[in-house]
Amino acid sequence: MSNFIIQTNKLTKKFGKFVAANELTFEVKKGEIFGFLGANGAGKTTAIRMLCGLSKPSSGSATVAGFDIYTQTESIKKNIGYMSQKFSLYNDLTVLENLAFFGGIYGLSKNVVKEKSQELITKLQIEEHKDKLVESLPLGWKQKLAFLTSVIHNPKIIFLDEPTGGVDPITRRKFWDLIYEASENGITVFITTHYMDESEYCNRVSIMVDGEIVELDTPHNLKEKYDCNKMDDVFVKIARKSKRVE
Amino acid sequence: MKSFIAFIIKEYYHIIRDKRSLLILLGMPIVQIILFGYGITNEINDANIAILDNSKDNITKEISNKLLSTKYFKLKRYLDSEREIEKSFKSGEIKQVLVFEPHFAENLQKFGSASIHLITDGTDPNIGNTIMNYTNSIILNYQSEMNVNLAGIINVLPEVKMRYNPELKGVYLFVPGLITIILNLISAMMTSISIAREKEMGTMEVLLVSPMKPIFVIVAKLIPYSLISFSITIIILILGGTIFNVPITGSLGFLLLECILYLFLGLSMGILISTIAPTQQVAMFISMIGLMLPTILLSGFIIPIENMPYWLQILSNIIPAKWFIIIIKDIMLKGSGITFVWKETLIIVLMITFLLIVSAKKYKIRLQ
């Protein structure tokens, strides 16, 4: 197996005449934190959906965790985790019930789920809240919980689609601690975000404009190339080229 | 399989946590059957009438007594003059006035005929009609009895019997009708709302990204809701049988089988609705307006299909409830078996197939 966990070659998705993602070619290295940036409507979600097997590409090819996205979506699904911008735990279930459910649909045995749940609850220090309904928890906790739930089955890759939307800076910072920890455990992190300060935490970032990847490099190199101090400015310089008007 | 069970447990939590919806789901049918059974009925009991007897002879007395001895009529008062008729109707205290012509018995003997004037309140045509028919038949009955006593006249005495529902009880129609409507609505509405909720909350994406196959997601959802719909059916049947003595003449097993088949129809409608509806509210709206109204109005439950304009009769054919009402009435009241209702059953099976194919197509489009 190569050193790359995601490889795409001219991956394209068209909706009628509209080209949502145009000939995306990139690689994601094993264990890295890969920032997938772009303005609203640039095609990030379309790309993620293709990689997760939720949507069939119009043309091009790609492998995720070594599996083909056309023919081996079932194997891909077993090896990835996913957390979307919309909060994705069940509000009317307790913390433990949510963990049992998500562990269950990934086919984990009861004992493993128990063990994992305990580990996770200790980590988040929410022992006294484990039997409370998720809706009663503060948003920050929910999001951390959702993240840890999405990696409960030890996936090779975790796709995070704007996971920190609507959260205060301190909680975001703590959230990133969890991401680093997952990364240290060998999980590759594929993350989209609107917060450019977050993109500084990534090993490498790609920037999409109008369905195409226009830049792919480390944040450091990009800042040098565009002669900026912050990723924020790099992003603005690049995103201005967009012709898609919202 | 493990994931399947985990999913059903999750659905179970959803259902029991939402106490209000559960109460409505289980309470609604009970309240409805009691309302329909007791309240909304075409039967007339104790209708108030007034009598203006201008003759006051034996025969008019006998006819009056005969009327009043039934449970259908109650005498409000005797009137003394024509003028009082209008007043009594306006005050709303009576539904009908009987006016006997003067010299009633005399005329009858002399000319062989005498007339009774029946004036009925027509503001509610159904009730008016029923009251008039009751009165008519009681008088006719009296007349034929009289004829028997007079030898030499040839009598044809029709003996009328209403088969399958000898007392013409409205509840005999309402119990099968209610099962038809409720089974369809609840299964379709619950399924569509619960699938739409997953979409709305964003959990559907998480499920689709998981190794669980979409078809299992749907099937796992259907199981708890079919169980609820089915228990509601049982509740209605028991209530109908115990409180209102609605019989199940046919085979109970066959009846339940048909109910399950019909339940699948509701579930597949729910799936189809959920492929269209992005949110719970839309799903609810489509189920209520798009499903409930046509089902109630066009199924023959409230308005007899024979009385509809021709184009509505044609339209009613696409309403599944119309076919199921025929099946369930035949089984419950007439005791029919599959040999009598196979056509309607086949139509329902075809409808299910159609709905599932369309949903599958829609579902695929969404995934592309």
Side-chain angles (χ1 to χ4, degrees):
Chain A
M1 224 170 123
S2 69
N3 201 24
F4 298 119
I5 195 144
I6 300 176
Q7 270 182 308
T8 72
N9 187 18
K10 297 192 174 169
L11 199 59
T12 302
K13 177 75 184 182
K14 292 179 187 164
F15 296 101
K17 279 185 179 167
F18 179 75
V19 186
N22 191 16
E23 304 204 340
L24 305 182
T25 303
F26 63 94
E27 283 104 16
V28 177
K29 291 179 206 154
K30 251 180 218 164
E32 79 174 332
I33 300 177
F34 188 87
F36 199 61
L37 313 181
N40 287 335
K44 290 172 298 179
T45 303
T46 308
I48 287 201
R49 288 176 65 87
M50 283 192 285
L51 294 176
C52 292
L54 285 182
S55 144
K56 283 226 159 32
S58 310
S59 64
S61 64
T63 58
V64 173
F67 300 106
D68 184 75
I69 61 165
Y70 287 95
T71 55
Q72 296 172 300
T73 48
E74 292 310 308
S75 308
I76 290 178
K77 286 177 178 179
K78 279 184 195 134
N79 286 292
I80 61 172
Y82 175 83
M83 178 188 166
S84 77
Q85 51 195 338
K86 279 191 195 168
F87 178 68
S88 49
L89 291 179
Y90 291 98
N91 273 323
D92 53 347
L93 265 59
T94 68
V95 175
L96 282 184
E97 285 162 0
N98 264 297
L99 291 170
F101 170 67
F102 284 103
I105 61 171
Y106 279 97
L108 303 186
S109 75
K110 249 190 193 153
N111 287 333
V112 175
V113 170
K114 234 184 206 168
E115 213 174 283
K116 285 258 177 192
S117 308
Q118 194 47 53
E119 195 181 300
L120 197 150
I121 282 161
T122 321
K123 189 187 281 175
L124 288 179
Q125 296 171 321
I126 51 171
E127 184 67 39
E128 66 270 38
H129 300 289
K130 66 181 180 188
D131 288 319
K132 280 194 183 154
L133 297 188
V134 165
E135 69 188 342
S136 67
L137 302 180
L139 183 65
W141 287 13
K142 283 189 201 173
Q143 242 137 348
K144 283 187 275 184
L145 192 61
F147 174 74
L148 291 175
T149 309
S150 65
V151 293
I152 195 169
H153 57 294
N154 260 330
K156 294 203 174 93
I157 313 164
I158 170 84
F159 289 92
L160 303 171
D161 194 0
E162 289 170 27
T164 52
V167 192
D168 65 79
I170 299 167
T171 314
R172 261 167 54 203
R173 183 66 241 192
K174 284 187 189 154
F175 192 85
W176 270 89
D177 288 342
L178 291 177
I179 294 180
Y180 278 132
E181 201 183 306
S183 172
E184 274 160 27
N185 291 335
I187 298 177
T188 308
V189 179
F190 189 99
I191 182 170
T192 74
T193 177
H194 274 148
Y195 300 104
M196 284 308 131
D197 56 324
E198 288 186 350
S199 68
E200 315 251 3
Y201 308 147
C202 300
N203 299 117
R204 289 193 307 150
V205 298
S206 73
I207 299 180
M208 265 183 102
V209 176
D210 294 351
E212 292 178 29
I213 292 183
V214 291
E215 284 295 350
L216 199 172
D217 213 331
T218 62
H220 179 78
N221 290 350
L222 283 178
K223 278 187 279 189
E224 237 166 42
K225 180 174 173 191
Y226 285 90
D227 193 23
C228 300
N229 289 328
K230 286 188 292 182
M231 276 303 290
D232 211 6
D233 302 329
V234 175
F235 185 75
V236 170
K237 272 190 182 169
I238 295 173
R240 274 214 188 113
K241 296 174 190 162
S242 169
K243 290 180 198 77
R244 281 184 196 163
V245 185
E246 289 205 19
Chain B
M1 200 57 207
K2 223 178 278 164
S3 53
F4 198 66
I5 291 168
F7 204 101
I8 293 180
I9 293 175
K10 184 211 83 168
E11 286 301 320
Y12 164 78
Y13 286 137
H14 284 325
I15 293 170
I16 57 157
R17 293 277 151 79
D18 193 356
K19 294 239 163 51
R20 213 167 12 164
S21 304
L22 190 64
L23 197 71
I24 293 174
L25 282 179
L26 294 176
M28 184 174 72
I30 298 174
V31 171
Q32 277 184 338
I33 192 162
I34 289 173
L35 277 182
F36 275 119
Y38 281 123
I40 308 173
T41 156
N42 293 327
E43 299 157 45
I44 310 293
N45 281 325
D46 293 336
N48 285 319
I49 59 169
I51 295 174
L52 172 56
D53 193 344
N54 292 320
S55 180
K56 297 204 171 82
D57 54 49
N58 287 340
I59 296 188
T60 60
K61 283 250 165 58
E62 255 180 71
I63 294 180
S64 305
N65 284 341
K66 199 148 178 76
L67 273 177
L68 298 174
S69 64
T70 65
K71 60 176 179 165
Y72 308 120
F73 300 105
K74 222 169 81 184
L75 181 69
K76 189 73 189 177
R77 71 174 67 177
Y78 283 103
L79 303 179
D80 296 322
S81 70
E82 301 265 345
R83 275 181 297 121
E84 286 177 51
I85 296 178
E86 182 68 16
K87 219 173 70 190
S88 315
F89 273 124
K90 283 228 167 108
S91 70
E93 52 182 22
I94 55 160
K95 294 281 183 208
Q96 179 172 261
V97 177
L98 259 83
V99 185
F100 293 98
E101 66 173 351
H103 317 295
F104 191 86
E106 223 180 297
N107 286 349
L108 206 56
Q109 267 167 357
K110 267 193 206 156
F111 310 112
S113 78
S115 74
I116 306 174
H117 197 180
L118 288 184
I119 308 168
T120 311
D121 183 351
T123 43
D124 185 329
N126 276 336
I127 296 180
N129 244 328
T130 317
I131 291 181
M132 215 164 64
N133 287 336
Y134 280 3
T135 322
N136 248 332
S137 63
I138 291 169
I139 295 173
L140 278 178
N141 202 356
Y142 175 78
Q143 194 184 329
S144 43
E145 273 170 27
M146 264 189 3
N147 286 349
V148 174
N149 299 337
L150 300 173
I153 297 172
I154 299 168
N155 286 302
V156 180
L157 290 181
E159 258 187 51
V160 183
K161 188 181 165 200
M162 284 291 180
R163 280 201 83 170
Y164 311 122
N165 185 0
E167 293 171 67
L168 289 179
K169 280 192 184 163
V171 77
Y172 277 30
L173 172 62
F174 283 124
V175 166
L178 259 190
I179 294 181
T180 309
I181 305 280
I182 288 182
L183 209 55
N184 197 343
L185 276 186
I186 289 186
S187 46
M189 198 156 78
M190 283 192 309
T191 328
S192 61
I193 289 180
S194 122
I195 297 178
R197 180 170 56 191
E198 303 265 6
K199 284 205 239 171
E200 199 177 340
M201 297 299 169
T203 43
M204 189 54 112
E205 294 211 316
V206 181
L207 296 178
L208 291 177
V209 176
S210 81
M212 206 166 159
K213 289 207 172 67
I215 180 80
F216 282 120
V217 172
I218 305 290
V219 174
K221 257 191 186 305
L222 298 189
I223 289 177
Y225 291 112
S226 352
L227 282 180
I228 291 191
S229 311
F230 191 66
S231 16
I232 290 173
T233 313
I234 307 272
I235 292 177
I236 301 179
L237 281 178
I238 291 175
L239 280 182
T242 51
I243 304 185
F244 300 109
N245 298 320
V246 182
I248 301 173
T249 322
S251 139
L252 180 64
F254 180 53
L255 176 68
L256 293 181
L257 266 181
E258 288 277 2
C259 284
I260 291 174
L261 184 72
Y262 184 62
L263 198 144
F264 280 136
L265 183 95
L267 298 174
S268 19
M269 281 179 155
I271 297 175
L272 183 62
I273 293 175
S274 70
T275 59
I276 307 167
T279 63
Q280 296 178 71
Q281 272 185 338
V282 177
M284 175 103 101
F285 188 78
I286 297 179
S287 318
M288 295 293 265
I289 306 293
L291 205 58
M292 188 159 93
L293 284 181
T295 302
I296 291 180
L297 294 178
L298 293 179
S299 61
F301 175 40
I302 291 182
I303 307 164
I305 291 174
E306 296 79 19
N307 294 359
M308 293 176 190
Y310 186 67
W311 62 275
L312 271 183
Q313 290 192 26
I314 301 280
L315 193 66
S316 75
N317 287 330
I318 62 163
I319 307 290
K322 171 191 167 173
W323 303 105
F324 187 68
I325 269 191
I326 299 176
I327 297 178
I328 190 171
K329 271 203 299 205
D330 277 7
I331 300 176
M332 286 183 72
L333 304 180
K334 294 190 194 168
S336 312
I338 185 73
T339 40
F340 291 95
V341 293
W342 67 269
K343 247 189 270 169
E344 288 80 9
T345 309
L346 186 67
I347 290 175
I348 288 185
V349 171
L350 289 178
M351 283 178 164
I352 296 177
T353 324
F354 173 76
L355 286 170
L356 287 180
I357 291 175
V358 175
S359 317
K361 281 239 165 77
K362 288 236 170 222
Y363 201 65
K364 267 196 192 132
I365 292 171
R366 240 169 45 81
L367 276 185
Q368 266 166 16

